[in-house]
Amino acid sequence: MSRLLLCLLTLVATAGHAQNAATTVVADAVTHEPLAHVSLFTKEGGRFHSVISNTQGVAKVTFPFQRLTVSHLNYERRTVRQLSDTLFLQPRYMSTGEVVVTNKEPEWIRRCLKETVKRKTQNYFTHDGYEQVDFHTQNMGRNNIYRFHLQGLLRTKSPDRKRYALFCDSVNAQIVASDSTRLTDTQNLRRMLYEDFMEDLTRGFISDHRFYHYADYEGKSKDEVKLSFKAKHNTDDRGWLILDTTRCIVLRAYRSTGTKTNRQERIGTLMYGLSKMFGYRVDTFTRDYRVSYGERSDGTLYPAEVRYKMYYAGRDGDSTKEEAEFSEQTGGGFPNMEATMTLSPVTTHPSPDTITWHELPASWYVTFNSEADRQLEVKLSNLPAIFSIYDDNP
């Protein structure tokens, strides 16, 4: 009898730790501003559950949990056992300096930026060589999680810097997911490589944006300045950059773009128009790109550290109401994507004939693939990797 009572008390105590469904607002611990597209997830009873905060930071947790992980690429991860009205996340990056907003933009800003664009081909895109790559990606939907960690060699082919090749082996690539049906996914790696901030920085970009100077920013040298920027016409396009005004090079940069800008730049007006004719809609498409550039011994620069976050929700216009609702919440699969990439040059170059290289083409969002494109995607989806079922470890 005492054993039965003890078991009942244990069950009651365990059940008492499980938080029932509730609503919370996720916010920045410093500014108290609500945070959109934060992942709140758990694995309970062998099943994975998650919810993503909306544009007002509201997350409706409709599943019970004992431990809930709260994750956003630009904030420190938290684990909670109970939901409060507001969940605060500590930012990984603190804002520095005070931006000076004036009616008239200083002339030197555009002059220096145009010179940076003029020199960028020789400063950023002339290196033909090899880098060690360390790539992490985490993609999350309502009932699915996917993590892929890859370490290998990246080969850059100049002069156009539009072609990359990857080498990895089964020891250095690992998939973590909710089930065993997942394949390797290099999409976010390719996005970070081909959508580099310096690719975005053109004379057209300069014309389309306004720039503001951070008066109190203190860099590593007197030549460094910090500029913020906002698009003149699209309110969902903004960011900042650290500029060396003597050498006319960008050292670090951050750009955040929303649905309107991404439809125009990443999909294209013509392609998106064609996709709408076939019943496909892109409801939400947000993207954050943060990069720090490293310098090689020859003085050229490369994206040494990149952090990338994307939320993508698309739907087929012919889908049922239930399918449309699910697609709206999950983007048809993994709507909330986060990835990091670090590159470091290697001095010992391997012989290209001794290892198998995998071509890495530019990624896509909405496109009509040829058969050759599809075959290449199949190859990249079947890179050698070790598979493991998701657990609660980050």
Side-chain angles (χ1 to χ4, degrees), residues 12-29:
V12 170
T14 302
H17 287 295
Q19 166 85 46
N20 292 323
T23 299
T24 188
V25 176
V26 188
D28 186 301

Side-chain angles (χ1 to χ4, degrees), residues 214-229:
Y214 280 83
D216 295 338
Y217 174 76
E218 295 183 4
K220 293 181 179 180
S221 73
K222 61 180 178 61
D223 300 321
E224 290 184 22
V225 298
K226 182 174 183 179
L227 306 176
S228 69
F229 59 82

Side-chain angles (χ1 to χ4, degrees), residues 148-151 168-175 184 384-387:
F148 182 35
H149 179 206
L150 181 147
Q151 292 177 310
C168 66
D169 58 27
S170 59
V171 177
N172 293 328
Q174 184 177 28
I175 297 173
T184 52
I386 300 171
F387 178 86

Side-chain angles (χ1 to χ4, degrees), residues 3-115:
R3 283 186 179 179
L4 178 60
L5 180 61
L6 180 60
C7 289
L8 288 174
L9 289 174
T10 302
L11 289 173
V12 170
T14 302
H17 287 295
Q19 166 85 46
N20 292 323
T23 299
T24 188
V25 176
V26 188
D28 186 301
V30 177
T31 66
H32 289 192
E33 293 182 357
L35 298 176
H37 308 148
V38 177
S39 299
L40 297 86
F41 58 93
T42 188
K43 184 178 181 182
E44 302 285 346
R47 295 190 61 187
F48 178 84
H49 302 279
S50 79
V51 65
I52 299 169
S53 64
N54 63 18
T55 53
Q56 288 76 45
V58 177
K60 297 180 180 179
V61 181
T62 59
F63 45 84
F65 64 88
Q66 295 187 30
R67 287 203 314 159
L68 188 71
T69 301
V70 187
S71 175
H72 188 289
L73 183 70
N74 296 325
Y75 292 82
E76 300 294 339
R77 178 175 291 191
R78 283 190 62 185
T79 300
V80 298
R81 295 188 178 273
Q82 287 190 344
L83 283 181
S84 54
D85 293 337
T86 306
L87 286 175
F88 290 105
L89 296 184
Q90 289 290 339
R92 294 180 185 271
Y93 309 96
M94 301 301 292
S95 59
T96 56
E98 180 180 352
V99 64
V100 175
V101 179
T102 59
N103 293 328
K104 186 176 180 180
E105 182 184 272
E107 292 183 4
W108 66 266
I109 291 181
R110 290 182 184 272
R111 186 170 61 250
C112 188
L113 288 174
K114 288 177 181 179
E115 186 65 26

Side-chain angles (χ1 to χ4, degrees), residues 273-294:
L274 289 172
S275 67
K276 289 176 68 176
M277 290 175 58
F278 287 93
Y280 187 76
R281 301 288 189 274
V282 177
D283 295 323
T284 308
F285 186 0
T286 65
R287 174 182 171 275
D288 286 1
Y289 191 100
R290 185 185 298 266
V291 57
S292 296
Y293 293 101

